[in-house]
Every structure is written in structure tokens, then in C-alpha cells.
Amino acid sequence: MCEGCGKAVVHQFAERRAFLKLILTAPAGFACNSYAVAQVNKVAPKPGNVLTLDAALDRLMKGNARYVEGVSRRHDFNHEREPLRTGQNPFAAVLSCADSRVAPEYCFDTARGDVFVCRVAGNFASDDIVASLEYAVQVLNTPLILVLGHDACGAVDAAAKAIKDGTTLPGRLPALVAALSPAVKAVQGEPGDLVDNAIRRNVMVNVDKLKTAEPILGMAVDDKKLRVVGGIYKLVSGQVELLA
Ligand SMILES: [Zn+2]
């Protein structure tokens, strides 16, 4: 019996104590949400996506290798739609830059229902992004999060210039500068190119942020239900270099 709605609901799919606690203690509007309940009462729509942490990363990187080699698979969109009509169980989540040259679904040679993608210029974990990833991990049982930066990132470059020159960008762009400033300031004075260093540091700053985002992501990492890694997408080769 769902205490939130009073309906006879047997929660079968999720075994996590925290998720059950979330469902049972959530306001009725959330607990009775048909979509959320559907996720816990049915088998995984894509059984092949039920993977261990390491197997999920291995699958991502093998997909990237196919993409780099130009041998990406042909995805049958028509037949993919039906099994995904009532749910999803992506095997990985990706936080990437909004840059149009970076397309996670393509660069990992994945189909619909495979990767849960959050994008924002500069690939940083805002509260909204963290909440979205919490949904992926807690409700969809996604075992892997990849924070994906890329070389020649315009957002990081603009933030670095604004901080270095002490200028204020127009519109709402200062919000991006503020989000990226911890990484930029952390590498100021280091040998090498400031933007390249800041791009890599920004990935790791956000990997650490997600790993320790309590209570959901941090606990999932502690329980070894979630792995969080970082990588850099190379614009010329298409290759993803793992950082950690
Ligand atoms: Zn970018």
C-alpha cells in the first residue's frame, strides 16, 4: 500500500532503502505520480542497460571507439520507440557542455533510452543539474555519471577572459562566469595554457561536487551504486579522454 496515495501499489523494482523512503515520505503529488510509480513497478524497458558501474563505463568507451573509427551502429528508431513508451533505464548519465559540436548520444554511439543527458554551457553542476542527475540515479537506477568537458570550450574561454581582465559580460552571462570561476581561479599561475587547464579542472571540480552531493548522489557513491567520472571530448578526433 502506498502511504502517499492510499492505493494498493507494490513497489518491486527499486530495492534501495533511500528510494523507498523517498517514495513513502514524499508528498502525495510526487508519490502518486504515475510516471514515478511506473518506474518501480515494471521490468527494465531495456534489459541490456542493467549494468554494473564498470560495465557501464566500458560500454560508453567502446561506443566512443566505434564513433572515432567511423563505424557507429545503425539505430532502428522505429523499433526503439515501443519498448520506451512507458519507461526508461539509461545505463549512463552525461553532463556535457551545450556546445553544438559535442553530441553525447553520437559520440558514445548510443540509442534512445541509453544515456540521460544534461547540458549547459561549461558543463557545471547547478542545482537544477544535480536534481536532474538525482532523478536519473534514484529513480532510473543509472549507475554511471560522466562529466564531459571538451577542448576549445567557449564558455570556459569567456569566463577566463572576464576574470583575467576584470570585465563584466552582458545579460545573464555573468552567471556562467560565476559558475566557472572556481576552476579558472584554481589554475591561474599554473604552467601551460590557462583555458586548457581550466577546462580540465572544471571537469574535476564538478566530478567532486557530484560525488559528494548529499544525500542522494553521495550516498549512492558510498553504497557503490554509482560511479562518477570525468572526461574531455576532443573536437578533432572525437575521442573522449577519461580524466578520473
Ligand atoms: Zn563548451
Side-chain angles (χ1 to χ4, degrees):
M1 180 72 72
C2 177
E3 294 180 7
C5 65
K7 294 178 181 176
V9 175
V10 179
H11 301 288
Q12 297 174 342
F13 185 58
E15 297 177 353
R16 300 178 180 191
R17 64 184 188 281
F19 181 51
L20 287 173
K21 183 178 178 183
L22 176 66
I23 288 292
L24 295 175
T25 60
F30 179 82
C32 295
N33 180 288
S34 59
Y35 184 71
V37 171
Q39 293 299 316
V40 301
N41 288 321
K42 60 196 290 296
V43 297
K46 298 187 86 169
N49 282 1
V50 180
L51 298 173
T52 65
L53 284 58
D54 292 344
L57 181 58
D58 184 60
R59 181 169 163 188
L60 266 190
M61 299 312 293
K62 283 180 176 170
N64 179 241
R66 291 194 302 275
Y67 170 77
V68 169
E69 291 299 315
V71 292
S72 295
R73 292 170 176 162
R74 179 182 182 278
H75 297 287
D76 183 348
F77 296 139
N78 285 336
H79 289 88
E80 284 173 359
R81 292 190 185 106
E82 179 56 28
L84 295 172
R85 184 174 59 83
T86 58
Q88 58 172 321
N89 64 314
F91 72 89
V94 179
L95 166 54
S96 88
C97 184
D99 192 303
S100 64
R101 300 166 295 179
V102 182
E105 289 90 344
Y106 286 150
C107 80
F108 295 110
D109 189 21
T110 50
R112 286 173 174 79
D114 287 343
V115 285
F116 187 96
V117 180
C118 299
R119 304 187 66 167
V120 62
N123 47 269
F124 61 88
S126 64
D127 283 351
D128 291 342
I129 295 285
V130 172
S132 296
L133 293 170
E134 287 177 339
Y135 178 78
V137 171
Q138 192 76 33
V139 180
L140 307 181
N141 295 306
T142 302
L144 175 71
I145 296 174
L146 170 65
V147 179
L148 184 62
H150 67 98
D151 51 8
C153 180
V156 176
D157 183 60
K161 282 189 172 67
I163 292 168
K164 181 182 173 187
D165 300 338
T167 55
T168 301
L169 298 178
R172 292 173 174 78
L173 287 168
L176 287 183
V177 176
L180 298 171
S181 66
V184 172
K185 290 178 179 175
V187 298
Q188 282 179 325
E190 288 189 357
D193 182 79
L194 173 66
V195 174
D196 287 345
N197 292 340
I199 287 168
R200 300 173 83 86
R201 181 62 67 96
N202 182 53
V203 168
M204 295 315 302
V205 164
N206 286 285
V207 166
D208 291 341
K209 181 175 181 178
L210 294 174
K211 276 182 177 176
T212 57
E214 298 295 348
I216 293 175
L217 300 183
M219 188 168 73
V221 170
D222 291 344
D223 289 345
K224 303 192 185 317
K225 300 284 180 61
L226 171 68
R227 184 173 175 186
V228 184
V229 298
I232 300 290
Y233 177 83
K234 306 294 182 61
L235 291 177
V236 173
S237 67
Q239 191 166 29
V240 172
E241 173 197 355
L242 289 180
L243 299 182

